[in-house]
Amino acid sequence: MTPEHLPHADRYRQGLECLQRVDGPQGVAVVQDLAESFPDFARYLVEFPFGDIYARRSLGLREREIATVAALTALGNAAPQLRVHIHAALHVGCSPAQIVETVMQMAVYAGFPAALNGLAVVREVFLAHGIALPLP
Amino acid sequence: MTPEHLPHADRYRQGLECLQRVDGPQGVAVVQDLAESFPDFARYLVEFPFGDIYARRSLGLREREIATVAALTALGNAAPQLRVHIHAALHVGCSPAQIVETVMQMAVYAGFPAALNGLAVVREVFLAHGIALPLP
Amino acid sequence: MTPEHLPHADRYRQGLECLQRVDGPQGVAVVQDLAESFPDFARYLVEFPFGDIYARRSLGLREREIATVAALTALGNAAPQLRVHIHAALHVGCSPAQIVETVMQMAVYAGFPAALNGLAVVREVFLAHGIALPLP
Amino acid sequence: MTPEHLPHADRYRQGLECLQRVDGPQGVAVVQDLAESFPDFARYLVEFPFGDIYARRSLGLREREIATVAALTALGNAAPQLRVHIHAALHVGCSPAQIVETVMQMAVYAGFPAALNGLAVVREVFLAHGIALPLP
Amino acid sequence: MTPEHLPHADRYRQGLECLQRVDGPQGVAVVQDLAESFPDFARYLVEFPFGDIYARRSLGLREREIATVAALTALGNAAPQLRVHIHAALHVGCSPAQIVETVMQMAVYAGFPAALNGLAVVREVFLAHGIALPLP
Amino acid sequence: MTPEHLPHADRYRQGLECLQRVDGPQGVAVVQDLAESFPDFARYLVEFPFGDIYARRSLGLREREIATVAALTALGNAAPQLRVHIHAALHVGCSPAQIVETVMQMAVYAGFPAALNGLAVVREVFLAHGIALPLP
């Protein structure tokens, strides 16, 4: 039975497991904090993005995080979520260089300001992870 | 000598080779058509995105195309370029399923309309490539 | 039992009912067409936006459609979805004048081009519904 | 005589009255602060959005604020204005639940990051108004 | 008496004169077409953008059109309005080269797709004006 | 020999000279800070935007800065870059009034929130330059 066909009742549990695999304890903490003010939305956040989408098997978690880091950098209005997903990209095994390359590439598709603001978030997250810049 | 340190004089040649690797003859045709009206911009398009960015080695071409398909779907105002890059994603070896997953995932980050409009472009490009939908 | 607490297994059925209430047979046709190419995404479209969000009771369907018409006009990159939701707004009982006002108001928040392009979609949908412009 | 046909000379006065009805003394304070640095723009802000648009009678103020909260959440680059309009929505009589529903609904049209950032502004404004979260 | 202080009753007349100066008979035709369906919005379009903003004297019309072409190219979701303003830029005396440079520059700030789509509109408008590409 | 045809090896040097002409020592400082973490991207930032685009002669630097201030205000997600370019606009000889007019005009094309947030950056930069507001 593929994850696409799990019974609906398992979506929340599956989403939470997937969220932990993607983002570690930090992801769960974000959801718990959200749930204190907006419990229904916290549930949707677990169920749809993680229980439905990230749990699907045709794309690896590393590729999913590259896609998300690219999109959030390009959109340019989601710095808190970009922070979470640069952390998540590291957590699922993307190399620091892959993350920097993805953000730099957005200069082509969304302009230099979007890429520069994305790199500022990269710098902040890498600092918190003890990843020295510039990369070797 | 990494591609990052090639002498500048080789950027155009390197960019053109990279463009062909990424997108095949179709990419070169797009640039030639552009060059008839805007030759300087056609040159920049070869030199910066392809000669500088795509030629870098720390991220694979499949990952670069996933990032680009994600960003163009999320931005939602670049259908012609999304068409080119769904073609390019297939050309560098992304599976049809990986492309569909990447576009679907954008519903989470940029909303359902962006994902739906991205899937409409996927359908059009897959039709031209003889890729049957739904995927098995 | 509020719709927020229906068992998960009912989400699809509830979403489909809600989609019909919001958009009539046209909404179901859109989903069926989508399902021919992207069946999983068609299911998500029924389950999350309609089964989870529109089915909630704290905001009326007329207010939901006003919010959606406003957002799609402001984003400016989702003409096909704006078309569907102007139809839906009429279907749930918004008056033609309320729809025109909502779109016009977006000139303040997203600029005149967004509002003008939104009004072009209004004109097209109203023509199909036999609603004469200018409104009396 | 409908507000649409008031003599032009009354636009500023009408806009200021409308701004007060929409946003109370806080709205007037925002305009006065703006006028100290950019007096012409402060005048336009009173005259066009409030004197022309909000003063129109075919859409209620509650519906106008729902449309504005939806659009500003979806655009995602206007947090200060979203703050003002969540306050305004409460001031014209939208219930806290209607505001939360409107912002949550934007996850469908503009993605989860836009909705999450909108909910963060909701939390901040509700705190200032003594509205406890989660809502009952 | 500066245009900033003309009596309000003259805004519509002043806006129409300004629209003609900016865009010639084509601009007036656009407004007349709009007025057949949305007469109030057509009036606002004359009064605020043209009667209030373009009529101000501290920025020349050529600079205003460069600003508008830049913004519409960067936003990337307003092709019909970009078409009108490339025409207007030519009408107020911007050289074809200045227009092409402005659009190309947007590759830096909004990415290559935005610039490419802007250049496609430039090509279309220049063709209608008999301006040969590439520029000498 | 036009700047368009300088040998590639001169792009970095030419870009740096152009950056200094556009933005003075502050621009060079921004690049040096960036280069400490992301040296390749700092080089691209000098080479493409400044070495390729700003160095072109068919558009004056004042017009280039008006275009950039317009675009960054309209996009609304690039406050740090808008700050740099309002400084640059003053540095290349745009009058304070031309800058304020450009930002105000964006209310028409991108809405009042974008213009208001742009004016907040103007106020901040003008304060640092000792330019009193309101302008006379």
Side-chain angles (χ1 to χ4, degrees), chain E residues 48-49 53-54 56 58-59 63-64 66-68 70-72 74-75 85 97-98 101-102 104-106 108-109 112, chain F residues 48-49 53-54 56 58-59 63-64 66-68 70-71 74-75 85 97-98 101-102 104-106 108-109 112:
Chain E
F48 175 59
I53 299 291
Y54 277 75
R56 296 172 62 86
S58 307
L59 192 67
E63 285 75 20
R64 288 204 184 277
I66 283 170
T68 298
L72 294 176
L75 290 169
H85 282 281
Q98 286 179 315
E101 292 294 323
T102 300
M104 280 176 31
Q105 184 172 324
M106 292 305 107
V108 175
Y109 297 105
F112 277 75
Chain F
F48 175 59
I53 298 290
Y54 277 75
R56 295 171 63 86
S58 306
L59 191 68
E63 284 76 19
R64 288 204 183 277
I66 284 171
T68 298
L75 290 169
H85 281 282
Q98 286 179 314
E101 292 294 323
T102 300
M104 280 176 30
Q105 184 172 323
M106 293 304 108
V108 175
Y109 296 105
F112 277 75

Side-chain angles (χ1 to χ4, degrees), chain A residues 31-119:
Chain A
V31 167
Q32 282 171 339
D33 177 63
L34 181 66
E36 285 178 27
S37 300
F38 306 104
D40 291 353
F41 200 73
R43 182 161 58 80
Y44 298 147
L45 183 63
V46 169
E47 289 177 346
F48 175 59
F50 294 97
D52 284 343
I53 299 290
Y54 276 76
R56 294 171 63 86
R57 293 200 181 132
S58 307
L59 191 68
L61 285 182
R62 279 197 296 275
E63 285 75 21
R64 289 204 182 276
E65 286 304 324
I66 283 170
T68 298
V69 166
L72 294 176
T73 300
L75 289 169
N77 57 13
Q81 289 77 31
L82 181 56
R83 198 171 295 120
V84 167
H85 282 282
I86 290 171
H87 176 273
L90 291 168
H91 190 259
V92 298
C94 293
S95 72
Q98 286 179 315
I99 295 167
V100 170
E101 292 295 323
T102 301
V103 174
M104 279 176 31
Q105 184 172 324
M106 292 304 108
V108 175
Y109 297 105
F112 277 75
L116 285 165
N117 293 331
L119 290 175

Side-chain angles (χ1 to χ4, degrees), chain E residues 18-133:
Chain E
C18 192
L19 174 61
Q20 278 178 301
R21 217 157 50 234
V22 168
D23 205 31
Q26 177 178 312
V28 178
V30 165
V31 167
Q32 282 171 339
D33 177 63
L34 180 66
E36 285 178 25
S37 300
F38 306 103
D40 291 352
F41 200 72
R43 182 160 57 80
Y44 298 147
L45 183 62
V46 170
E47 288 177 347
F48 175 59
F50 293 98
D52 285 343
I53 299 291
Y54 277 75
R56 296 172 62 86
R57 290 194 183 139
S58 307
L59 192 67
L61 286 181
R62 280 197 294 275
E63 285 75 20
R64 288 204 184 277
E65 286 304 324
I66 283 170
T68 298
V69 166
L72 294 176
T73 300
L75 290 169
N77 58 11
Q81 289 76 33
L82 181 56
R83 196 171 297 120
V84 166
H85 282 281
I86 290 173
H87 176 274
L90 291 169
H91 190 260
V92 299
C94 293
S95 71
Q98 286 179 315
I99 295 167
V100 170
E101 292 294 323
T102 300
V103 173
M104 280 176 31
Q105 184 172 324
M106 292 305 107
V108 175
Y109 297 105
F112 277 75
L116 285 166
N117 293 331
L119 289 175
V121 180
V122 167
R123 178 150 55 176
E124 183 192 323
V125 177
F126 280 17
L127 186 68
H129 280 73
I131 299 170
L133 286 171

